[in-house]
Structures are given as structure tokens and as C-alpha cells.
Amino acid sequence: MNDDTTASVQGEHATQSIAEHAASAEAAGFLHPAQQALLHERGWLTMLAPRACGGSELPLPQVVRLEEAVAAADGSTGWVLTLCAGAGWFAGFLAPEVAREVLATPRVCIGGSGAATGHADREGAGFRITGSWDYASGAPMATHFTVNAVLRADGKPLLDADGAPQVRAFLVPASQVRTVQSWRTIGLRASASHGYRIDDQWVPETYGFRISPAAATSDGPLYRYPFYSLAYVTLAANIAGMAGHFIRLARACLGHRRHGGSGLPLLDVPDVIALLRQQQQAFDDTRARFYEVLDDSWAQVAGGAALDDSSMRAVQTASLALVATARRAVDELYPYCGLYAAREDSTINRVWRDLHTASQHALLIP
């Protein structure tokens, strides 16, 4: 068995294990211990972190395809992997000694939120942080949280050259954070994307960072790839994974249902078959275009070039097109799947709920 075959078999085994525990994870409201263990054992939560600091620093196209495969096995696991590995990417912007310290944490997992809903007051060689943030996927397993906070002095926001409040990102150990059990959604229940609070906690200045290629502390192309472009492709891959899973399950449902008028199996009804083929083809074509744009953009950055505005728009457009096509395919096929698809305890219903929860992410609004 060659290396490629071994990797393929191991990957299939991993996704099977993730899928096997999806229902019990949803019932528990968080990832099953076997799912968590797999994320740690494979090093997937640090796959975007710098190799020199203890991460894997995998090429972005490899990361995105992995995230799609995991989301196809279970939406919640894919979502936690994507959001927490994405937060691990910030290690490429931290002081290297801090990044090494953080990544050496046993079972390290970084969660967080991008909203600037807290403030940070300068105090000595650091900042005292207070605030409340929403939607930290994987919160119960997080060893650290990232926050965006408005910088203040004497209780007043510090302003930049344009008169806007200055915002800085910080990394805060979980011991200084209080999780708020606020995640009550129809889908992605096991992602446990709870809110969290920080009350008057001091962190060193070295735990602050800025997300910009110019501020990167690691040299690899990952840290020159634009943040929003990275966010678009990783989120879109999750939607694609869930949609692909739904389409496969929908085909199986159609094989067990009969047309109410003719009595024919739905898979023998020409209009139904045409719809299934049309949605599958549209999804496959849009997905192929998405990966073509992703691979091209990565080749540019890996070759030493910066993504210009046109290239970044192409990444965003391809990502949003994939999300829109995935939504359309799922919504067009769902009515043909019967009451089984409406049962909360069915796999296809969980996938439907996960996709429609994930697609509410603010970046995925057309």
C-alpha cells in the first residue's frame, strides 16, 4: 500500500468515526469525546499554525478540502474544526515565543469571535480587558479565546487617524474567560458555539496582535493570504460538505418514495430525475469552479505575489456562488424527501438543519 493509499484509507476511517458519533454529539450538545480526540490526534486544530511554532502549516487548498470532507461527515465537527483551526492561524501573527507557548498547551484549541464587543485599557506592560462576545464555536474545549477589543485610555476610546476607535485583537487563556451557555439553534448543536465573558482580566501586551500580511510574524504564504479570502473559502467549503452529504441522502430518500399521482417510484419519474440531475450538475460545476479559483489564488500567494483586489473579489464571488448553489440544491430537493426528512432524529434532517444554521454566517450573505 503506497503513501497516498494509506492516507486515503486513514482519512476515510477518520470521517467514518466522526459520522458514527454525530447523532450522540448532537444529543449531548457538544462533540463526542471520540470526535474531539480525533481532531487533536490528527493535529487538525493547529493545521494553519506556523510549523516553526509547533503547528502543521498545511497548504490552504489541502486545508479547505479536508474541512469539506469533515463537514460532509458531520456539520458540527466540520464547523468546530474550521473555526478553531482558523483561530489557530492567528498564531502566525503573534510574537513567536507566545505562539510556541500557546501551541505547546496540551490539547490546545483556540476559539473566539471577531466582533469588537469589549474594551482593553492600557495597564503597565499589558491591557485589562472586559467585555462579552458571542458565538465561540468549540467553546467547551477551548484552551484560549481570541477577542477584538476597543483600546481605551482613562475610560475613553483611543481614535485612529480617521477618528474611528482603535481595535486590537488579543489572545486570552481560558482560565480568564467565563463561557455563557447561549447556543440554542436548530442546527450545528454539537458545535457548542456559546458566548463568553471576560471581566477585568489583565493580559500582557505580547498577547495582542494585528491581522495583516504586514504584521505577520511567520514567513509562510499562509500568513500572506488575506484574512477575508481565507474566511470565505473555509466557510464555503463547510456548506459544500453539508450540501454534498444532503444530496446523497436525498437520492436515497427518492429511492424509497413513490409519486402520489402515478404511483411510480420517484426515481422513475422523469421530472424528478431531471431535477436531481440538474441540481447535482449545478453543484458539481460550481464546486469545481470554486476549487479552480482557490487553487489559482493560492498559487499566486505561494509564488510570492499578493492577491490584488480583482483576485480577492474572484475568491469571494466563487465562495458565495458555491454557497448559493448549495442552498438552492438542498431547498429544491428537500420537498421530495418525505416526512422522514422532517423527522428530527433522521440524519438528513440533521444535515438540513446544520446547513441552514451554518449558512446564516454574516460573511455568507450574498
Side-chain angles (χ1 to χ4, degrees), residues 79-340:
W79 201 249
V80 170
L81 169 61
T82 297
L83 275 296
C84 293
W89 178 74
F90 298 147
F93 302 87
L94 286 165
E97 63 274 14
V98 174
R100 283 191 289 271
E101 174 190 328
V102 169
L103 294 176
T105 303
R107 295 175 69 85
V108 64
C109 176
I110 304 174
S113 168
T117 50
H119 57 261
D121 294 293
R122 165 70 75 176
E123 184 177 308
F127 293 85
R128 192 161 291 278
I129 299 174
T130 295
S132 179
W133 293 264
D134 292 324
Y135 310 132
S137 298
M141 64 189 285
T143 58
H144 300 77
F145 289 81
T146 61
V147 302
N148 280 331
V150 175
L151 301 184
R152 301 194 315 184
D154 300 322
K156 297 181 180 180
L158 298 176
L159 305 181
D160 62 20
D162 298 322
Q166 294 185 37
V167 175
R168 185 173 300 178
F170 293 90
L171 186 74
V172 183
S175 59
Q176 296 176 269
V177 177
R178 178 166 60 88
T179 301
V180 180
Q181 302 290 318
S182 57
W183 186 243
R184 301 178 184 89
T185 56
I186 64 166
L188 295 182
R189 291 174 179 171
S191 73
S193 301
H194 297 300
Y196 57 105
R197 285 198 55 83
I198 299 175
D199 296 300
D200 199 35
Q201 295 292 318
W202 186 86
V203 297
E205 184 167 10
T206 52
Y207 275 60
F209 59 97
R210 215 162 44 85
I211 305 167
S212 161
T217 55
S218 292
D219 295 331
L222 265 177
Y223 314 106
R224 289 187 278 106
Y225 198 88
F227 169 72
Y228 279 108
S229 298
L230 183 143
Y232 275 117
V233 296
T234 55
L235 293 175
N238 273 258
I239 302 299
M242 295 177 217
H245 190 188
F246 183 93
I247 293 169
R248 290 190 292 277
L249 294 170
R251 185 183 293 273
C253 284
L254 295 180
H256 292 93
R257 294 199 75 202
R258 290 185 176 273
H259 189 270
S262 67
L264 290 171
L266 285 182
L267 284 179
D268 290 338
V269 177
D271 287 349
V272 176
I273 287 298
L275 175 66
L276 180 61
R277 288 174 177 167
Q278 176 190 34
Q279 296 304 325
Q280 182 73 69
Q281 189 64 57
F283 176 73
D284 290 345
D285 290 347
T286 311
R287 179 179 176 275
R289 173 58 182 162
F290 166 80
Y291 278 112
E292 179 184 340
V293 172
L294 167 62
D295 293 344
D296 286 347
S297 69
W298 176 253
Q300 287 183 53
V301 176
L307 288 191
D308 58 20
D309 289 343
S310 176
S311 296
M312 286 190 282
R313 281 195 300 271
V315 168
Q316 178 180 346
T317 298
S319 299
L320 293 179
L322 179 57
V323 172
T325 302
R327 280 193 187 116
R328 189 177 307 113
V330 169
D331 290 341
E332 289 285 341
L333 293 173
Y334 180 80
Y336 294 86
C337 296
L339 284 174
Y340 176 73

